[in-house]
Amino acid sequence: GLLYEGLAKTEVEAIALAESGKIEFSPCQDHAAVGPMAGIVTPRMPVWIIENETFGNQAYATLNEGLGKVLRYGAYSQEVLDRLRWMEQELAPILQKAIEKHGPVDMRSLIVQALQMGDEGHNRNRAGTSLVIRELAPYLVMLDESKEALARVLTFMHQNDHFFLNLTMPSAKSVLMPAEGIPGSTVITAQGRNGTEFGIQVAGLKGRWFTGPAGIVNGLYLPGFGSDDAAPDIGDSVITETSGIGGFAMAAAPAIVKFVGGTPEDALRFTREMYEITLAENREYKIPILDFRGTPTAIDVRKVIDKGILPVINTGIAHKKPGIGMVGAGLVKPPVNCYQDALKALAEAYTK
Amino acid sequence: GLLYEGLAKTEVEAIALAESGKIEFSPCQDHAAVGPMAGIVTPRMPVWIIENETFGNQAYATLNEGLGKVLRYGAYSQEVLDRLRWMEQELAPILQKAIEKHGPVDMRSLIVQALQMGDEGHNRNRAGTSLVIRELAPYLVMLDESKEALARVLTFMHQNDHFFLNLTMPSAKSVLMPAEGIPGSTVITAQGRNGTEFGIQVAGLKGRWFTGPAGIVNGLYLPGFGSDDAAPDIGDSVITETSGIGGFAMAAAPAIVKFVGGTPEDALRFTREMYEITLAENREYKIPILDFRGTPTAIDVRKVIDKGILPVINTGIAHKKPGIGMVGAGLVKPPVNCYQDALKALAEAYTK
């Protein structure tokens, strides 16, 4: 981040500056933003703006860089910085112009369709990415941009099936934010991890994090890597599960098990279990194979504790050493004490 | 067709010419071609060329016109003819140039992916269409064509989720053709319908059609139409089922039931039943929800008769009157006597 911003010239300088106390760090989710994995957002980075039209709030996320050696997985080589610079100077301005011609993109409609096309919106986003490309392509070609620039933009999206993730995440966040601060509500409004801790927020105690140790992901590794290389669970992408998609909608995306491990039967079971700890079934997001049942939505921290069922989370795995990047993907268990502590705090706050 | 070719100026002229005996009609499938519904292919129409690289044979299909009022569903108003002319003069040449830049498109890879994205390749092709768009878009923008023309091409594909059907059909045909003429083989190599008759061919009796009366489709109708409006079962698109996708892969596409009727459970059951009448499971085309089992492939006419299970077919429904177009989609049963007659003829031919 500091290298990309030009605030440091070398890794050593960047570390010294970061440790100097002169840089203020703050969690994305305290700023209506969400960032996958390391979740780095710096001032120059362009962001998606997702507006919840019903409640008027907005949520934000940077553009997805792709898989492998990327900043959010802890890589920061020249190749990574060059890509970020290109995203800032060419990709984002061109997409912005295309969206201005197109008008706002209806994320709800795209997520509805993607769930009928084998995506779950967290670690499988091939359909959503495809839908964004076909939606924007007719407008991209109408821009006064060079062919080469348009081809780079379309190729970048085509080669990155996670492109849509950075759209589902702020969509999920924008849906959850209006529930923050509802008196007495035990609904979980935020979940996130920073690689050290896992934290949750509940609607009845706006802005208060309940944290526990981040877990180790149980999953499939890229060739040459194994669980010894894995950093603990990290990133805001669990906001998708919090809103009722991602791991909660795995039944819609059985092919995901080739990426995160397990069997299609597991994917069905995970979604079915999540109905046990949620209050509602989504009216729009449907799972065809479950006879178009709505996705399990609105996690109730009381139910998590009563039933002893933790929210299911699928996630990418970063290398524990900086500079290497993504090493796999899998499933992770959140620490149970977050939910216990949140419920206890709710009881204390509302029984005075 | 005659109006589009300029061989007739009015409907009356076209009918007179068609009835005059001066026009030779011939089934697509006798020319390595496949056409959905009415299946009209005239000399001016551009076609997809699908090459089976293993066996060196080619199969052909026109480009898909979209749904509703289109020639293949029996409509031939000026709007329909104008669209066909545009497809010939702008769409096809531009796509051809893009594919020349791209190189041959790997249909097997696209169908593999589409089956993991909720398509079955006959009446649900949203994923396949999306994949073709994202594959070609980076090459389309590099062409020396006007922005407006490129936008029309991309918009046309985007607005027609059946665009991919006219690619899966000749792909299916190209796979089946090399099996034609294998001595003694009871595998079904072709199925088709012309709105009056349903016909099949078997590998051991190359080129010989066994026919029975075309059935009435049981399905869902567009608003304002019902089963009284339906033409009997029509078109070559059943070539998809014959090759092991389409209705045979409905378990991969549970959302299709909103288009053809039934429940997701039916979709699973249809695919499972088809394993009873097929000889193999496809090595490439997998169905995630069935634990990545290969699609049921190579229908054995002996098994159809022994088990009393007819091939499952999903299909569009044309209005029985010319000029109106598509009125719905559903499932149809083929006439059992085709299979009985083919088996009998095989027995006679190979027991002399």
Side-chain angles (χ1 to χ4, degrees):
Chain A
L2 297 173
L3 292 168
Y4 163 68
E5 288 287 330
L7 295 173
K9 288 206 182 68
T10 65
E11 185 181 336
V12 174
E13 265 186 48
I15 292 170
L17 182 56
E19 289 177 344
S20 69
K22 290 180 184 158
I23 304 288
E24 188 188 342
F25 297 95
S26 182
C28 284
Q29 294 204 48
D30 291 349
H31 303 274
V34 275
M37 303 306 290
I40 296 162
V41 185
T42 69
R44 297 175 71 103
M45 287 185 187
V47 294
W48 293 112
I49 301 173
I50 305 291
E51 181 154 331
N52 181 331
E53 291 189 345
T54 306
F55 291 93
N57 59 298
Q58 292 184 336
Y60 316 97
T62 58
L63 278 62
N64 193 285
E65 309 162 76
L67 290 178
K69 286 198 181 182
V70 288
L71 183 66
R72 74 178 189 283
Y73 276 97
Y76 51 81
S77 61
Q78 194 56 44
E79 169 197 355
V80 173
L81 299 176
D82 288 347
R83 188 192 303 116
L84 287 169
R85 190 54 48 96
W86 173 77
M87 290 169 68
E88 172 197 327
Q89 294 179 349
E90 185 167 275
L91 176 66
I94 286 179
L95 288 176
Q96 180 168 9
K97 286 175 204 159
I99 290 169
E100 279 165 8
K101 274 193 188 285
H102 175 282
V105 175
D106 182 348
M107 279 303 301
R108 183 167 71 182
S109 162
L110 294 187
I111 294 173
V112 165
Q113 291 179 65
L115 291 174
Q116 301 197 355
M117 294 169 70
D119 277 7
E120 42 69 87
H122 184 172
N123 275 289
R124 191 167 162 96
N125 285 297
R126 178 170 289 178
T129 298
S130 305
L131 292 171
V132 168
I133 293 172
R134 63 186 278 183
E135 188 78 30
L136 294 182
Y139 297 88
L140 282 165
V141 295
M142 289 301 289
L143 300 178
D144 291 319
E145 300 286 343
S146 75
K147 295 172 183 186
E148 291 75 13
L150 293 174
R152 281 191 291 271
V153 166
L154 285 162
T155 301
F156 181 78
M157 293 192 286
H158 174 45
Q159 290 179 344
N160 174 17
D161 274 326
H162 274 51
F163 190 79
F164 195 61
L165 170 63
N166 287 39
L167 285 162
T168 60
M169 284 176 55
S171 298
K173 183 73 179 169
S174 76
V175 164
L176 289 160
M177 286 166 62
E180 293 172 355
I182 296 175
S185 170
T186 53
V187 167
I188 296 175
T189 48
Q191 298 186 107
R193 321 83 108 191
N194 61 12
T196 305
E197 290 180 305
F198 185 105
I200 73 166
Q201 293 192 7
V202 285
L205 296 169
K206 181 173 178 171
R208 189 163 155 198
W209 287 106
F210 298 91
T211 61
I216 287 292
V217 184
N218 178 20
L220 299 177
Y221 286 84
L222 300 181
F225 297 106
S227 55
D228 288 349
D229 301 307
D233 189 23
I234 185 167
D236 291 329
S237 54
V238 64
I239 201 72
T240 55
E241 279 85 5
T242 315
S243 81
I245 58 172
F248 280 47
M250 269 178 77
I256 198 176
V257 301
K258 296 287 187 194
F259 186 64
V260 300
T263 67
E265 191 50 49
D266 293 333
L268 289 170
R269 184 168 48 79
F270 290 141
T271 293
R272 288 201 182 104
E273 272 184 10
M274 293 305 104
Y275 290 109
E276 299 287 317
I277 60 168
T278 46
L279 292 172
E281 298 179 10
N282 199 294
R283 279 196 308 251
E284 303 287 337
Y285 299 162
K286 309 276 191 183
I287 300 177
I289 202 69
L290 299 183
D291 212 6
F292 299 93
R293 191 172 179 185
T295 59
T297 301
I299 309 171
D300 185 345
V301 71
R302 288 175 307 175
K303 292 192 170 194
V304 172
I305 299 303
D306 287 354
K307 305 275 174 89
I309 298 173
L310 291 168
V312 65
I313 302 165
N314 64 49
T315 194
I317 309 173
H319 200 286
K320 63 185 175 188
K321 288 185 192 158
I324 297 177
M326 181 186 180
V327 295
L331 294 158
V332 66
K333 278 191 192 305
V336 67
N337 75 287
C338 303
Y339 305 93
Q340 292 165 335
D341 293 349
L343 187 57
K344 203 171 148 193
L346 279 163
E348 282 168 8
Y350 288 99
T351 52
K352 276 170 195 165
Chain B
L2 297 173
L3 292 167
Y4 163 69
E5 288 287 330
L7 295 173
K9 287 206 183 68
T10 64
E11 185 182 336
V12 174
E13 266 186 47
I15 292 170
L17 182 56
E19 289 177 342
S20 69
K22 289 180 185 160
I23 304 288
E24 188 187 343
F25 297 95
S26 182
C28 284
Q29 294 203 49
D30 291 349
H31 303 275
V34 275
M37 304 306 290
I40 296 161
V41 185
T42 70
R44 297 175 70 103
M45 287 185 187
V47 293
W48 293 112
I49 302 173
I50 306 291
E51 181 153 332
N52 181 331
E53 291 189 344
T54 307
F55 291 93
N57 59 298
Q58 292 184 336
Y60 316 97
T62 58
L63 278 62
N64 193 285
E65 309 161 77
L67 290 178
K69 286 198 180 182
V70 288
L71 183 65
R72 74 179 188 284
Y73 276 97
Y76 50 81
S77 61
Q78 194 57 44
E79 169 198 354
V80 173
L81 300 176
D82 288 347
R83 188 191 303 117
L84 287 169
R85 190 54 49 96
W86 172 77
M87 290 169 67
E88 172 198 328
Q89 294 179 349
E90 184 167 275
L91 175 66
I94 286 178
L95 288 175
Q96 180 168 10
K97 287 175 204 160
I99 290 170
E100 279 165 7
K101 275 192 188 286
H102 175 283
V105 175
D106 183 347
M107 279 304 300
R108 183 167 70 181
S109 163
L110 293 187
I111 294 173
V112 165
Q113 292 179 65
L115 291 173
Q116 300 198 355
M117 295 169 69
D119 277 7
E120 42 69 86
H122 185 172
N123 274 289
R124 191 168 162 96
N125 285 296
R126 178 170 288 177
T129 298
S130 305
L131 292 171
V132 168
I133 292 172
R134 64 185 278 183
E135 187 78 30
L136 294 182
Y139 297 88
L140 283 165
V141 295
M142 289 301 290
L143 300 179
D144 292 319
E145 300 286 342
S146 74
K147 296 172 182 187
E148 291 76 13
L150 293 174
R152 281 191 291 271
V153 166
L154 285 161
T155 301
F156 181 78
M157 293 193 286
H158 175 45
Q159 290 179 344
N160 175 16
D161 274 326
H162 274 51
F163 190 79
F164 195 61
L165 170 64
N166 288 38
L167 285 162
T168 60
M169 284 176 55
S171 298
K173 182 73 179 169
S174 76
V175 164
L176 289 160
M177 286 166 62
E180 294 172 354
I182 296 175
S185 170
T186 54
V187 166
I188 296 175
T189 48
Q191 298 186 106
R193 322 82 108 191
N194 61 13
T196 305
E197 289 181 306
F198 185 105
I200 73 167
Q201 292 191 7
V202 286
L205 296 169
K206 182 174 178 171
R208 189 162 156 198
W209 287 106
F210 299 91
T211 61
I216 287 292
V217 184
N218 178 19
L220 299 177
Y221 286 83
L222 300 181
F225 298 105
S227 55
D228 287 350
D229 301 307
D233 190 23
I234 184 167
D236 291 329
S237 55
V238 64
I239 201 72
T240 56
E241 279 85 6
T242 315
S243 81
I245 58 172
F248 281 46
M250 269 178 77
I256 198 176
V257 301
K258 296 286 187 194
F259 186 64
V260 300
T263 67
E265 191 50 48
D266 293 333
L268 289 169
R269 183 168 49 79
F270 290 141
T271 293
R272 288 201 183 103
E273 273 184 10
M274 293 305 103
Y275 290 109
E276 300 286 317
I277 60 169
T278 46
L279 292 172
E281 298 179 10
N282 199 295
R283 279 197 308 251
E284 303 287 338
Y285 299 162
K286 309 277 191 183
I287 300 177
I289 202 68
L290 299 183
D291 213 6
F292 299 93
R293 191 171 180 185
T295 59
T297 301
I299 309 171
D300 185 344
V301 71
R302 288 175 307 175
K303 292 191 171 196
V304 172
I305 299 303
D306 286 354
K307 306 275 174 88
I309 298 173
L310 291 168
V312 65
I313 302 164
N314 65 47
T315 194
I317 309 173
H319 200 286
K320 63 186 176 188
K321 287 185 192 158
I324 297 177
M326 180 185 181
V327 295
L331 294 158
V332 66
K333 279 191 193 303
V336 67
N337 76 287
C338 304
Y339 305 92
Q340 292 165 335
D341 293 349
L343 187 57
K344 203 171 149 194
L346 279 163
E348 282 167 8
Y350 288 99
T351 52
K352 275 169 195 164

